[in-house]
Amino acid sequence: MNIHHVIAAAALALGPGIAAAQTDPLDSPRWGDMKKEFLPAAARVVFDERVRVIAPLTAENALNVPVSVDASALPDVKEVLVFADFNPIARIVRFEPGGAQPGLGFRIKLQQSSPVRAAARTGDGSWHVGGTWVNTTGGGCTLPSTGSASPEWQKRLGEVSSRVWPKKEGGERLRLRVIHPEDTGLAAGIPAFYIQQLDLADAAGTPLMHIEGFEKKLPTTPGCSPAAARISASPTAATS
Amino acid sequence: MLTGRSEDFSFTNGGNIVNTAFIVTQAGVLVIDSGPSRAYGEQLRRAIARITRQPVVRVINTHHHPDHFLGNQAFAPDTLAALPGTIHGIHTEGGSFNDNMYRLAGDWMAGTEPVAPTLPLAAGPLELGGHRLELIALEGHTGADLAILDRSTGVLFAGDLIFHDRAPTTPHARLPAWQASLDTLEAQPFRHLVPGHGPVATDAGPIRQTRAWLGWLDHTLRQAADEGLDMTEALALPLPAEFRRLAVVDAEYRRSVGQLYPALEQQALRTGKARE
Ligand SMILES: [Zn+2]
């Protein structure tokens, strides 16, 4: 079905934090650019294994790569920015955990093999960066293109389904799916159309998590049509 | 029968990971699946010519996956036959399969184009040069899977409904229907069983092996979705020891999660809603 959905899952508990390193553990030539583009020049930036990015080492379907980010081993996380160095739209999602644990699972599109990273800002203003390489052959591009070609999403646009699971270690996990084409603007003739903002709150209206998606137009990349990193899925918060 | 390697498609094997077969009869040769490329189909035709002077009168594609029909070009168009669902699948997906094979197998694919059969097959007996064949129309690996029982020799050609010592692929799978098809196959009076991938067997071992894997996969992923696991967590679930001996099991599990899990997740969300 050509509908992108949004699913997110909360983070798992983690072990103790590990000391930060200063050279890019993923050894990516794009790291310098990423840092300059997304993180404030004056900020303290450290690589920190307490920020876990979990994704398959090999993604079979580049249109639907599952990624989980978990920064719950860090104290006082204010916001988390997720990006993929080699994607035409590098920025994937930004979230503020608010009343939830700083953990989020979602699906992205990858144009080519790339590091996928999460940078978490803690209350002291420093950024903690974790990540993992995801390899992809780009095989996902041969699948029928999604989204706008399907009449179904127009009828169901914005439809939300969700369910809450209790977590063994306490707290809850929310999984959420939103019917939305999540078009990147990179496919020829299809304008960008994606979820810009998603706010989760509990029944009393207390904010749990604020989530933002991104889009940036670039010249169409030859080869694969919906070229970009997009949250085909989004979020959730674990209320803890 | 020509036995393929129990591997993924690669530049090294050129897509030769599939079993194809042919039956020589007094009335000509029947080919079962044509392989992953034009070059493979041409080699298959030459291999047949070394064995018999009989012409190829029928080429049957068991289902619409690329390694089973992309050798069709090597054969006369009016000999090509398949179930209607397979013909439709080749028309709609053949082009993208072909593009993907170029990416996975490289130069081995040179000159290969998808050719859809024009002759639709129906389930039932088929007599050819003294061979009493039974066409068994099934589904589950794809929407249309043909098995062929040669009653004269007791050989059952199962196509990709059966994988032997190699983890099954599931890009178009519907697991309950597939399981039902396995029951039908196990009830056939065969002496030799030719799987779509993996070595020939003389008993139902490969059927049970395929059934065990599909059953575990279905149960595990349903349970994972029902417990609210994220896809990254489902991917990290351990594989039972009994399946470790299956070739490419880690890669196929990963692919199956990507192919099957989204629908199960959505079902779990709907279930949650109904309970509220
Ligand atoms: Zn197949």
Side-chain angles (χ1 to χ4, degrees), chain A residues 75-93:
Chain A
D76 195 23
V77 173
K78 300 298 187 195
E79 66 174 309
V80 179
L81 179 69
V82 183
F83 52 92
D85 296 19
F86 289 103
N87 256 9
I89 299 173
R91 256 191 325 183
I92 295 165
V93 64

Side-chain angles (χ1 to χ4, degrees), chain B residues 63 65 67-68 141-142 160 163 169 197:
Chain B
H63 64 294
H65 283 162
D67 45 334
H68 299 261
H141 174 66
T142 66
D160 278 5
F163 285 71
T169 65
H197 301 262

Side-chain angles (χ1 to χ4, degrees), chain A residues 26-49:
Chain A
L26 301 181
D27 197 21
S28 154
R30 293 274 294 143
W31 165 244
D33 294 340
M34 295 292 109
K35 188 177 169 202
K36 210 152 73 187
E37 192 169 348
F38 298 133
L39 305 177
R44 175 174 174 263
V45 177
V46 292
F47 294 106
D48 192 331
E49 293 184 9

Side-chain angles (χ1 to χ4, degrees), chain B residues 76-104:
Chain B
D78 61 355
T79 63
L80 305 174
L83 291 172
T86 302
I87 295 172
H88 177 74
I90 292 172
H91 277 297
T92 53
E93 294 188 90
S96 62
F97 286 163
N98 194 40
D99 294 346
N100 203 31
M101 285 297 298
Y102 273 82
R103 204 169 32 247
L104 296 172

